[in-house]
Amino acid sequence: MNFLNIYKVNNFQNHKNKLINLINKIPKTIIELPGEKISHTDWQIPKTMEREYIQYFLDNIFKDFAKQLCFKFNLQSISLKNMWFQVYKKGDFHETHRHPDAHFANVFFINLPSINLKTKIYSLNNDIIEMNIEEGDILTFPAFLKHESIENTFSEEKIVISFNIDIF
C-alpha cells in the first residue's frame, strides 16, 4: 500500500530507556472495557497533567520523522493532533478500531517482545497488510484503516506511543 510509511528512529537505543522511564512516571491507569484491556495508558487522564515523554518525543524524534514523512509524500507540513502511550502486559489487547477525525494514525514501537505483536492493519478488503516492523519504528497509516493490537501472550510488555496527524 502506497500510503504506509515505516520510519526508523535514529539512535533509537539512546531513546528507548529514557522514554520508558518517562512513561512510567505517569500514574498507572488501566482500561478494561469490552474490546480492550490495556494495563497502563494516559488516554483517560486529564490533558493538563504533565507528560514529559511527549516533550522528549517532540524534541528528539518528531522533527526528523515529520521531515522524512513530508519528503516521502511531498507534503508541506504535518500537524500533530494528539498523542498517548499504551503498555500491554500479558493478556492485554485492543480489538479492531479506526481513528476518526485524523488523516493518519501512527504507532511508535518502543518495546516489542515479538514481531507477532506488531499492530495488525487491514486493507479495505479486510486483508492483513504485511509489513516488517521492529522496535524503534514508527508506523504511519491512513487513520480510516481498521487495525488492532492482538493479545500479548508474552511476559514482557509491549510499549507503544500512538499519535494522530493531519497532513497539509
Side-chain angles (χ1 to χ4, degrees), residues 3 7 11 15-18 30 32 41 50-51 54 67 69 76 81-82 90-91 102 112 128 136 145:
F3 294 110
Y7 173 76
N11 302 311
H15 302 298
K16 180 178 177 174
N17 288 335
K18 179 71 172 171
I30 298 170
E32 204 161 349
T41 182
E50 185 177 14
R51 291 169 167 84
I54 291 177
K67 184 177 177 182
L69 195 69
Q76 283 187 313
K81 294 196 72 167
N82 54 8
K90 188 173 185 173
L112 191 62
I128 295 173
L145 291 179

Side-chain angles (χ1 to χ4, degrees), residues 124-143:
L124 296 176
N125 297 327
N126 273 338
D127 297 323
I128 295 173
I129 298 172
E130 295 297 329
M131 67 208 128
N132 294 320
I133 296 292
E134 301 174 342
E135 277 186 4
D137 289 348
I138 299 176
L139 171 63
T140 301
F141 56 95

